[in-house]
Amino acid sequence: PHPQHDRSYVQFEYLEEGLRGGQLPPAAQQRLPDIIHVFGQADQGTAEHFAMGMLGASLGNFRQLAGSFDWSLFTSLGDLGGSTGCMCTAVCAAHPHMQAVTYDLGAVHATAQAYVDSQGLCDRVKVQDFDFFSEGPFPGGHDVLSLGMVLHDWGIERKKQLMKKAYEALPPGGALIAVDCLIDDARRTSPLALGMSLNMMLEFGEENAFDYSFKEFTQWAHEAGFTSTQVIPLVGIAAAAVAFKAAAA
């Protein structure tokens, strides 16, 4: 089964308690390994199972992004929380001039390397271990940084922290791309995206994770220092929210 099903079915058995308290009750937590543990501290088999599920959920969006964003203006992509590396391989397969590094925790390194190798792109896509909440800056050397199905995992303060660190790591003219299920600005016509936001709340508990609107993304982008934003529709309810850093004078 899809690894998200392994978790979501249990979470929604406790939906009433989650809605009332903002997080799953202890009975549910005893049946589910902590999501942060699954991300980076579980055994390789568990981490690979989750990563391959995310590959299936994300690949269509990343291929669409590879064709919809103007990559001709850029040369190097750094995908933060890149899991299997499918964002980087999708972009590099479509754009031979691009180089990329997929960054994630060590638990998925072997899975990512195997996937990149299977796509025949190991000469232009590298796999590097990195914790984006570690002290210190994001990796430099990229004119595009991406967060694919990552930003919605966190509460407001960590969302802003990730965007600020991305801004600081990008050169003038660089871009940050966040792929998530964006909610309409009025929060009235996005039931599936709101459902995803509920799922994030249940998954991350006290973190107060949530999906967001393009209006909210734009506000956070401006606070971080970015000067303009763009939204690119992807597959289904997903979209890419893009923030651009001002070019050098």
Side-chain angles (χ1 to χ4, degrees):
H2 189 295
Q4 191 59 38
H5 295 169
D6 297 348
R7 305 183 61 82
S8 295
Y9 289 149
V10 175
Q11 292 167 0
F12 279 83
E13 286 181 31
Y14 298 90
L15 178 59
E16 182 177 350
E17 294 93 330
L19 289 172
R20 291 180 181 277
Q23 59 183 313
L24 294 175
Q29 296 172 10
Q30 291 174 6
R31 295 172 58 186
L32 288 170
D34 179 73
I35 189 64
I36 305 300
H37 177 78
V38 172
F39 277 167
Q41 300 171 12
D43 62 274
Q44 183 177 332
T46 300
E48 179 178 12
H49 182 58
F50 190 90
M52 294 307 293
M54 292 307 299
L55 168 65
S58 301
L59 185 56
N61 286 319
F62 297 162
R63 286 175 172 168
Q64 180 85 4
L65 179 64
S68 300
F69 182 70
D70 187 0
W71 296 95
S72 69
L73 303 173
F74 304 95
T75 60
S76 179
L77 167 66
D79 187 31
L80 300 158
S83 190
T84 60
C86 61
M87 168 80 87
C88 291
T89 58
V91 170
C92 287
H95 302 280
H97 74 285
M98 289 293 297
Q99 303 279 332
V101 181
T102 179
Y103 298 95
D104 212 322
L105 300 174
V108 295
H109 186 112
T111 302
Q113 191 63 64
Y115 182 76
V116 170
D117 292 347
S118 76
Q119 303 302 299
L121 288 164
C122 58
D123 59 328
R124 290 192 291 126
V125 178
K126 304 304 179 185
V127 179
Q128 186 169 323
D129 297 349
F130 182 71
D131 180 351
F132 49 61
F133 285 127
S134 61
E135 292 187 14
F138 282 172
H142 305 291
D143 48 15
V144 180
L145 292 173
S146 57
L147 295 164
M149 305 299 286
V150 169
L151 205 57
H152 75 162
D153 291 342
W154 310 104
I156 183 67
E157 293 307 319
R158 284 191 164 182
K159 282 178 166 63
K160 291 183 177 182
Q161 177 188 1
L162 291 173
M163 293 180 70
K164 183 64 174 179
K165 290 179 75 172
Y167 176 82
E168 292 170 346
L170 286 166
L176 168 65
I177 303 175
V179 175
D180 277 314
C181 298
L182 296 191
I183 298 168
D184 68 287
D185 290 344
R187 306 180 74 84
R188 291 292 182 270
T189 60
S190 307
L192 294 178
L194 287 165
M196 175 63 82
S197 188
L198 173 61
N199 189 67
M200 291 301 99
M201 182 196 76
L202 296 175
E203 274 282 19
F204 288 87
E206 293 180 354
E207 178 61 34
N208 294 317
F210 63 95
D211 283 83
Y212 50 91
S213 67
F214 180 60
K215 181 179 179 180
E216 289 172 313
F217 175 86
T218 297
Q219 177 183 337
W220 305 330
H222 288 158
E223 289 176 9
F226 294 98
T227 54
S228 62
T229 57
Q230 173 188 10
V231 63
I232 302 172
L234 299 176
V235 178
I237 62 173
V242 187
F244 297 96
K245 188 170 182 174

